[in-house]
Amino acid sequence: MKLINIIALSTAAILSLASCEMKNELTGSLVDKQDMGSVELGISVKQPVSQTRAEETVATNNFPVTIQGTSAETADVLKEYATLDEVPSTISVPVGNYTVSSHTPGELQKKMENPYYAGSTDITVSKGITSEVDVVCRMANSRIQMKYGDDFKAAFSTWTITVDDGTETALSYTESDLNPAPVYWYFGENITSITVNIRAVTVQGNSVSERRVFKKEDAADKYEEVGDAFTGGDALEINMGTVESSTGELTGIDITTNITFEDESESVEIPTTGPGGGPEPPIGGDVTLNLPADVTYSISAGNAPASADAYIASEAGLDKIIVTITAGNDAFQAILVDLTMDGQSFLAENGGVNLIDNEDFGNLVATVGSSAPTNGTKEYTFPIGAFFTFLDMTGATDSGKQHEFHITVTDKNGEEASGVFKVTINE
């Protein structure tokens, strides 16, 4: 009796297992037929037109690939392949929506030595259908090339140049590399301008500072499909040269920037933006006011710049150079209350000081080997650094404040240019 019961129970268990297996097999087959589709995947690269060469193709076989479900029924589906070579010829996935993405191996960095390509596309997989998808990877970073003219290299012994897009990181160049390699720079989102700052020392030992702002929207030629923000695939070329007076004297640094858009082969110039916010006029026309880069230094470190010069010019002749100063702390404010130049006050509420033919101002800047500008002169270098002695005497600027030098220039034709130079001092 016990043996019969054991046999009966074993038979029931076997039949039960067989029934479950057959049910699962039938159910699985039914799901496969009703709920599954497939994908055939390819990866291609779209290079910027200006960088495309017949012999320079970008291999994609080592690009990683990700297939991520994006609809409710596919949210848990994630397929990742280390390289395109590892992707099967046909990939089976549940029906629904997906995003397929791929990119150059590794992570996109702010600064790289090579282009970084990335792309993604959305697809819908239908039941029993093979969907063909080609992910087009475009250049995610931009090419920046710094070039030095022979006149620039002959005029300066040392320099530090920064290219700043307003983020936490800036590009830096020095005289240690006269032929810098291109840099591939990731601008990120909504970067519409770059600022080029330079501090250089001439072969005679004089310090020169310049600052230029370049906005993509100011490019000489624009195309309907090109936006105002720098994007991947843009190529920037920054050229450094010199500015000389009619007598051959070095008066400043010439900085020009050209841009080649992703889908164009020819470069166009981006005119520099002057202190007033518009395109900077040429020296031979309206008023030119080239301000030095804003300064931050520490009294304890003793790293104040040797000079800070503003270059001012107009072929029509200079009529007024009005300077007002906003103090960054109470101590310097007290000095400004008492400091007058030929009876004029630097305080804005008192109208400021006109530097033209100002004898007291001439005495001040004589300490740095300069003089006051004369009425009708066509160019003048304003040595703002002559004020640094006063600034050091008054200590650090208050938190969130700077010493501000507001300069407004008017020429004999009534044309104006204005700008602000700021100094921040730490203890």
Side-chain angles (χ1 to χ4, degrees), residues 154-357:
F156 297 99
S157 58
T158 63
W159 60 81
T160 299
I161 302 170
T162 60
V163 180
D164 189 350
D165 65 358
T167 61
E168 295 180 355
T169 305
L171 276 174
S172 182
Y173 299 87
T174 69
E175 72 284 350
S176 62
D177 186 359
L178 297 179
N179 295 291
V183 171
Y184 292 88
W185 189 256
Y186 178 58
F187 280 104
E189 301 295 329
N190 300 318
I191 302 298
T192 59
S193 67
I194 61 170
T195 301
V196 179
N197 294 300
I198 177 170
R199 293 187 179 281
V201 178
T202 67
V203 292
Q204 291 81 21
N206 298 319
S207 297
V208 180
S209 299
E210 297 284 359
R211 176 178 181 268
R212 298 287 189 279
V213 178
F214 299 94
K215 294 183 178 181
K216 185 177 178 180
E217 65 181 332
D218 291 334
D221 291 323
K222 288 293 294 291
Y223 302 90
E224 188 173 331
E225 69 277 9
V226 175
D228 291 340
F230 291 106
T231 58
D234 288 339
L236 293 168
E237 182 180 281
I238 302 171
N239 297 280
M240 308 300 298
T242 60
V243 177
E244 294 183 349
S245 67
S246 56
T247 60
E249 181 183 358
L250 178 68
T251 59
I253 298 172
D254 179 56
I255 307 173
T256 60
T257 296
N258 298 320
I259 185 170
T260 306
F261 303 119
E262 180 184 23
D263 294 324
E264 303 297 329
S265 58
E266 300 296 328
S267 65
V268 296
E269 184 177 354
I270 303 178
T272 183
T273 297
E280 187 174 49
I283 290 178
D286 299 328
V287 178
T288 294
L289 172 59
N290 293 340
L291 290 175
D294 293 343
V295 168
T296 298
Y297 67 89
S298 170
I299 296 175
S300 59
N303 59 349
S307 64
D309 297 335
Y311 178 70
I312 302 166
S314 172
E315 282 296 321
L318 300 175
D319 185 55
K320 295 178 182 178
I321 303 176
I322 304 297
V323 177
T324 62
I325 303 175
T326 301
N329 57 30
D330 291 340
F332 188 46
Q333 176 67 19
I335 289 178
L336 292 178
V337 170
D338 296 329
L339 182 63
T340 60
M341 297 280 165
D342 283 0
Q344 304 168 45
S345 169
F346 283 108
L347 299 177
E349 58 267 29
N350 294 333
V353 172
N354 182 10
L355 307 187
I356 300 288
D357 291 329

